[in-house]
Amino acid sequence: DAEITQSPRHKITETGRQVTLACHQTWNHNNMFWYRQDLGHGLRLIHYSYGVQDTNKGEVSDGYSVSRSNTEDLPLTLESAASSQTSVYFCASSEGRYSDGYTFGSGTRLTVV
Amino acid sequence: KNQVEQSPQSLIILEGKNCTLQCNYTVSPFSNLRWYKQDTGRGPVSLTIMTFSENTKSNGRYTATLDADTKQSSLHITASQLSDSASYICVVSFSNTGKLIFGQGTTLQVKP
């Protein structure tokens, strides 16, 4: 069965370190998204991609970067982790740009100490 | 400002009872409204999706309604079960970009 997987599920890192969160989907979806979820906020869009070599900034992109070298993967990199980036991160994919078929991964809980 | 607001923030009900969750939005232009269920430690899973022209949509014991004139939606859960304990998130999509605006969610706890 097709799926979207995130790794690691939990990560603790130190302030200033570079961290990469993985997202891999086997739906063959063109569109992939990264969100963060914090108490008191709805999910907020960090970065998104509409296809290979395409990346775009979301509403909370500062301090994050993504790259899309193939259809299946959209890794999220924190260039220099900060305590404000402690959060739960969700990857999602969809079939079309306005598609109803939005599928989320199970999330990565990141703690920056 | 484009916002999605949900109420109540949290809710406790007894197993077998019904409940209704509310969602008000100011997103414009509007494409569709979705309700997601998020279990603890998991990603959101879609329950229903309604376009501008749809007033109601059901998925088993879940029934969502939409009033596009007042920009309000509700999610009604019938005969609640312990497995309904979760966060329920209302999400509105822009019609010109497909971007999603998420509400903060309502946390539902169903007690035996």
Side-chain angles (χ1 to χ4, degrees), chain A residues 71-85:
Chain A
T71 300
E72 296 80 18
D73 299 289
L74 186 70
L76 177 70
T77 297
L78 286 68
E79 304 294 343
S80 177
S83 57
S84 60
Q85 294 177 309

Side-chain angles (χ1 to χ4, degrees), chain A residues 9 35 37 39-45 48 50 57 59 90 97-107 109, chain B residues 31-32 34 36 38 41-46 49 51 87 89 93-104:
Chain A
R9 287 301 310 274
Y35 290 89
Q37 187 174 40
L39 282 176
H41 293 275
L43 274 78
R44 292 180 290 175
L45 184 63
Y48 60 100
Y50 288 145
K57 293 181 178 181
E59 61 179 306
F90 287 99
R97 189 166 298 197
Y98 305 111
S99 172
D100 298 338
Y102 226 79
T103 304
F104 284 88
S106 294
R109 181 175 294 276
Chain B
S31 176
N32 59 60
R34 314 164 186 215
Y36 283 84
Q38 185 177 19
R42 308 294 296 178
V45 174
S46 180
I49 300 172
T51 62
S87 179
I89 304 172
S93 168
F94 283 97
S95 62
N96 53 354
T97 65
K99 297 286 178 61
L100 304 182
I101 304 294
F102 289 77
Q104 294 184 24

